[in-house]
């Protein structure tokens, strides 16, 4: 491809997003650049503090449990308080708790504060995902989630390298660095990211308002909970790259650096391929993408049963990384399509919880299977789980109309719910200070859940892209 072609492709990848999206994207990148605790907590506890590996595992489990607990609560806050307040509360709480954790020496205090850090750091996720759905046009959401996922992995890759250098000199500096960057993230949200929660459409006199979305509403949504369950299965498979794979490679006589080399392929491929792949899948049928990515993930890990060298392990990582690149933004886009606009926080919270629970279950599953049956049975189980997930997606979505199955020219909704005010134009002139909660909104592609426009109309920045970061 020529230089001009590359420039055109890059422009098309980032074009059309409001500037609020780019500030939210920037806050995500800054947040992940400071990811120190999750990466080096075990080393900090065992090498610097001298605690046992069992205690380090307990602290890691409590950190994950905090994320499970906060997922649903943060979802409720996102709908009731708003996206922006929830993010600010979560980020400020994370900054404070991470800083406090760096000074804790008592084992009970360390465990308790780690639980709080897990709660706080996970609480912003439903709000971030709901806000992206609010401010990005339906036909651009998969691309938006792909760019956000790319920022997460880019930030994590950079932070991992930097945190390793910092840890050699001072673990406390790592804690303080994460606290400072998380605080900077909160400042970006406070100054640049306005509230995006959709306002309820005014109803005519005598018309009953739609039922409020509660957690019980989400639990009774059979199709959505089916998707959450399938997300849990797929997450169990992907988590094995970080809990089962190092154990299996160690059993084959390979070192920690060998594992680092193999798993580095995952981050490298995501950084290099996420954006071009997002262009490829943007307007393709999400049902097929989820089915194919689930099978690819399952059998990508299944192939690990035949690996015995670093090179072969790295090749299997390539296979399931491709599945991850396709699955992550497509799955998040599906969650948005199945969520009512006024209940996105609760729906996103339930979805986030599926990954948090999987992060707790995956180490237990891999440890039990490897200890009792061997690593080959673990990889076979992954293949089975991927197949079951693919079949589940096919069964759940056979009769579901999804906008991703249409071409870009058909992305406009064919039968939107009639708003009380006329629809806003798709490309409004960019005001100098855009207001997210506008009184008119372009109706999103909706399903039976939607009772209001899926998101407010947000004016794009100059050139339609907003600031490029």
């Amino acid at each position: 491809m020529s230089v001009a072609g590359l420039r055109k492709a890059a422009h098309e990848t980032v074009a059309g997003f409001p500037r609020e999206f780019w500030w939210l994207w920037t806050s995500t990148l800054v947040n992940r650049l400071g990811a120190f605790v999750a990466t080096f907590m075990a080393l900090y506890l065992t090498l610097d503090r001298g605690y046992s590996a069992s205690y380090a595992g307990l602290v890691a489990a409590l950190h994950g449990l905090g994320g499970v607990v906060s997922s649903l609560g943060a979802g409720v806050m996102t709908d009731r308080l708003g996206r922006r307040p929830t993010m600010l509360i979560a980020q400020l709480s994370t900054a404070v708790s991470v800083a406090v954790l760096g000074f804790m020496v008592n084992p009970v205090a360390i465990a308790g504060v780690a639980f709080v850090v897990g709660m706080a750091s996970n609480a912003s996720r439903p709000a971030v995902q709901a806000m992206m759905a609010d401010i990005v046009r339906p036909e651009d959401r998969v691309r938006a989630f792909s760019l956000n996922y790319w920022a997460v992995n880019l930030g994590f890759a950079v932070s991992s390298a930097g945190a390793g250098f910092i840890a050699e000199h001072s673990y406390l500096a790592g804690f303080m660095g994460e606290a400072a960057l998380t605080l900077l993230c909160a400042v970006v949200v406070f100054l640049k990211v306005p509230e995006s929660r959709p306002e309820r459409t005014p109803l005519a006199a005598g018309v009953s308002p739609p039922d409020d979305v509660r957690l019980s509403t989400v639990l009774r949504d059979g199709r959505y909970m089916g998707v959450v369950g399938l997300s849990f299965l797929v997450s169990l498979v992907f988590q094995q790259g970080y809990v089962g794979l190092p154990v299996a490679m160690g059993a084959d006589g390979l070192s920690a650096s060998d594992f680092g080399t193999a798993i580095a392929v995952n981050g490298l491929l995501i950084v290099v391929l996420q954006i071009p792949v997002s262009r490829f899948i943007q307007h393709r049928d999400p049902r097929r993408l989820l089915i194919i990515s689930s099978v690819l993930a399952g059998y990508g890990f299944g192939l690990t049963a035949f690996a015995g060298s670093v090179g072969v392990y790295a090749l299997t990582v390539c296979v399931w990384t491709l599945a991850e690149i396709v699955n992550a933004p497509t799955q998040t886009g599906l969650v948005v399509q199945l969520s009512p606009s006024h209940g996105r926080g609760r729906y996103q919270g339930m979805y986030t919880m599926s990954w948090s629970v999987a992060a707790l279950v995956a180490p237990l599953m891999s440890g039990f299977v490897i200890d009792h049956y061997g690593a080959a049975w673990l990889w076979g189980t992954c293949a089975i789980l991927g197949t079951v997930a693919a079949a589940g997606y096919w069964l759940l979505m056979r009769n579901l109309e999804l906008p991703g199955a249409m071409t870009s020219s058909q992305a406009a909704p064919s039968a939107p719910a009639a708003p009380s005010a006329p629809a806003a134009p798709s490309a409004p002139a960019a005001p100098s200070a855009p207001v997210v909660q506008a009184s008119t909104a372009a109706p999103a592609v909706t399903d039976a859940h939607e009772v209001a426009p899926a998101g407010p109309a947000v004016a794009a920045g100059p050139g339609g892209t907003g600031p490029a970061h």
Side-chain angles (χ1 to χ4, degrees), residues 104-280:
M104 294 295 100
V105 293
N106 182 275
V108 176
I110 290 175
V113 177
F115 175 79
V116 175
V117 170
M119 288 184 62
S121 60
N122 198 58
S124 63
R125 293 182 182 179
V128 170
Q129 293 170 346
M131 179 173 280
M132 282 197 175
D134 293 339
I135 65 179
V136 174
R137 294 177 301 180
E139 61 268 28
D140 292 333
R141 284 175 182 158
V142 170
R143 186 159 53 99
F145 289 129
S146 293
L147 287 170
N148 188 65
Y149 191 67
W150 182 78
V152 168
N153 283 277
L154 177 62
F156 184 76
V158 174
S159 70
S160 296
F165 175 78
I166 293 172
E168 290 182 358
H169 296 82
S170 170
Y171 281 98
L172 180 59
F175 285 101
M176 294 300 103
E178 177 167 349
L181 286 172
T182 305
L183 186 61
L184 176 60
C185 180
V187 171
V188 171
V189 172
F190 180 77
L191 295 178
K192 296 295 184 179
V193 181
E195 179 56 58
S196 70
R197 182 176 55 174
E199 294 180 349
R200 292 294 185 90
T201 303
L203 300 175
V207 178
S208 300
D211 294 336
D212 288 334
V213 175
R214 303 178 182 276
L215 287 177
S216 58
T217 309
V218 183
L219 292 172
R220 290 197 302 268
D221 190 336
R223 189 192 298 272
Y224 183 81
M225 290 306 298
V227 170
V228 170
L230 295 174
S231 170
F232 169 75
L233 293 181
V234 172
S235 179
L236 271 181
V237 174
F238 283 127
Q239 289 288 337
Q240 297 310 320
Y242 306 95
V243 293
L245 185 60
V247 175
M249 291 184 68
D252 282 343
L254 300 174
S255 66
S257 62
D258 291 330
F259 168 71
T261 300
I263 202 64
V265 175
N266 173 258
L268 178 63
L269 285 180
I270 290 175
V271 171
V272 172
L273 296 180
Q274 185 70 64
I275 292 178
V277 169
S278 69
R279 284 171 47 79
F280 177 76

Side-chain angles (χ1 to χ4, degrees), residues 326-344:
V326 173
N327 184 274
T330 307
Q331 177 91 322
T332 307
L334 174 64
V335 168
V336 171
Q337 293 300 329
L338 296 178
S339 308
S341 60
H342 60 286
R344 282 195 181 120

